[in-house]
Every structure is written in C-alpha cells, then in structure tokens.
Amino acid sequence: MRVLLLGGTTEARRLADLVAGEVAVTTSLAGRTREPLLPAGAVRIGGFGGADGLARYLRDEHVDAVVDATHPFAAAMSGNAFEACTASDVPLMILRRPGWTARPGDEWHRVASLPEAAALLPGLGRRVFLTTGRQGIAHFAGSDECFFLARSVEPPAGPVPRQLEVVLDRGPFTVAGERDLITRHRLDVLVTKDSGGADAKLVAARELAIPVLMVDRPPLPPAAVVSTADAAAAWLRSLRR
C-alpha cells in the first residue's frame, strides 16, 4: 500500500513513525524550512504544481491513500489535496490537531485573518509578541506605532515592521520561558494563530493578564477529519484490510 503523507507537523511525523513498517509512506514537505525535522520513511520536498500536478503525481506513483497532515493554516495545500484526490478517486483523510479553547482568565480577541489582526492591534497594546510564523510578519509592516518581538524558525522575508526584533527558535517552549520572555521585553499583547498543540505562550499570557489576538483557522474542505495520528493510522490499516 502506497501512502502520500502531506506533512510538516508533529502529527505527521508521529503518523509516519506509526505506519512506516506497514505501508510504503512518502512524506511531502513544502520546503519552506531549510533544516526540517525529517520523518520516518521516504521524503520529497517541494510543491506539486497545484491540484492538477498533485493528481498527476497520485496517478504516476500509484498512490493508494493520502493523509493531509499539513499545518492548520495551509489552506491552499488542503484544497489542492481534496481536488486531486476527488479527481483521482484516491481516499483522503485530514489529520488536524484540535484548536485552542479560551479558559477562565483569558482575554482573547478572535479575528478571521492577519490583516484584521493588524487593524485591531493598536487598540490592544504597543509591545507585541508576534508568533504567526515568518510569513505572517509582513502583514504588520505598516504598524509603526508598535514594537514587535517576532519568533520564527527562520528569518522573515519581505517587508517587516520598523520596530522589530526577531528571535529565531523552535519549540517546544515552557511556560516559565514564555513568561520570562514576555516580562523581560515588557510585552503587553500576544498575536498568534489558532494552530493548536502546546500552549505555553497562552498560559503565560493568561498568568500575566495580557490580551491575545487569536487568528481563526481557515475552513477545511469537506473531507473526513481525525485529530490524532493514532486515528489516522487506524484509518490506513482499515484500508489495507
């Protein structure tokens, strides 16, 4: 059984580890990170050329099933996967970790997009902890009244805010470390995307009583969805049977 795993997340690597000895799994990575964490099994790096290119790949490689375990904000890739699998009659499962839920003590302001977050930001704070990934930093380039501490795995490209300090780091992070970072830089608002997973920065923001601008996830295509690697592995095993 040949499986294409659209990866780049912790859940994708976990799934590859679970099924690498049972199926021929190839993980596809977008190639945006120079030194990605590699999963078990075969790896391909780079795009497919849209939905049509992915459909050709599925046919040429005789792929039996696809698991979309991309980042929750990789909307274009998820849409292409759904179109390609539908056109090729290849089973598709979407693996997405659950999003975050506000708890008592949280002050969250949910928005639909990064531009909406940038527009709302000046009313919430002036010293910003920006954790939207390097590609999201450009949306705040015009916010000259704010200071930004942006954290990303790699340096940003394109326009950036005038007052910007970049911390290059990769998680997981601890609540104590996040609390120290926020306090040391006198940050008074957190901007993040509802990626789910570890929430140390959200706990620190709650403890320090600073507001959070939370960018909501884009909608998923109308495919089956599971929230854990174990559930996705069980689905693949059911196809084998």
Side-chain angles (χ1 to χ4, degrees):
M1 182 175 175
R2 300 174 65 85
V3 176
L4 176 64
L5 174 54
L6 305 175
T9 59
T10 301
E11 291 75 23
R13 291 190 294 275
R14 164 73 174 156
L15 177 58
D17 287 341
L18 287 173
V19 302
E22 305 174 40
V23 301
V25 60
T26 297
T27 297
S28 176
L29 303 176
R32 295 194 180 99
T33 302
R34 284 192 294 267
E35 297 182 5
L37 298 175
L38 297 179
V43 176
R44 72 174 299 279
I45 296 179
F48 293 94
D52 290 341
L54 178 53
R56 283 193 298 272
Y57 178 90
L58 298 180
R59 292 192 296 268
D60 293 346
E61 298 298 324
H62 305 287
V63 173
D64 298 300
V66 175
V67 178
D68 171 11
T70 53
H71 191 275
F73 283 81
M77 187 67 250
S78 292
N80 289 341
F82 178 75
E83 290 185 29
C85 288
T86 300
S88 306
D89 197 25
V90 173
L92 170 67
M93 177 62 74
I94 299 176
L95 169 56
R96 286 290 185 278
R97 57 181 176 254
W100 289 313
T101 302
R103 301 180 183 180
D106 286 329
E107 182 190 340
W108 288 9
H109 303 264
R110 285 194 172 272
V111 294
S113 66
L114 286 169
E116 187 177 338
L120 188 60
L121 180 59
L124 295 176
R126 288 292 189 271
R127 297 187 63 83
V128 186
F129 188 15
L130 187 60
T131 63
T132 58
R134 68 188 182 103
Q135 293 181 307
I137 296 174
H139 291 282
F140 300 87
S143 302
D144 292 341
E145 66 271 44
C146 295
F147 163 84
F148 292 87
L149 181 75
R151 185 170 63 204
S152 59
V153 176
E154 295 188 358
V160 298
R162 182 173 58 84
Q163 301 183 72
L164 173 69
E165 181 177 340
V166 178
V167 175
L168 299 180
D169 204 354
R170 190 198 304 263
F173 303 102
T174 66
V175 174
E178 300 288 67
R179 189 170 53 236
D180 175 70
L181 190 68
I182 293 171
T183 302
R184 183 158 31 92
H185 290 273
R186 296 178 289 110
L187 306 175
D188 57 11
V189 60
L190 167 65
V191 180
T192 194
K193 298 191 292 188
D194 189 5
S195 302
D199 63 349
K201 60 180 174 287
L202 297 175
V203 175
R206 183 187 312 128
E207 292 179 353
L208 295 170
I210 69 171
V212 176
L213 258 174
M214 181 72 70
V215 181
D216 285 331
R217 297 178 175 189
L220 289 172
V225 182
V226 293
S227 61
T228 67
D230 291 284
W235 176 73
L236 289 174
R237 291 171 185 138
S238 73
L239 292 181
R240 289 183 64 205
R241 293 194 295 268

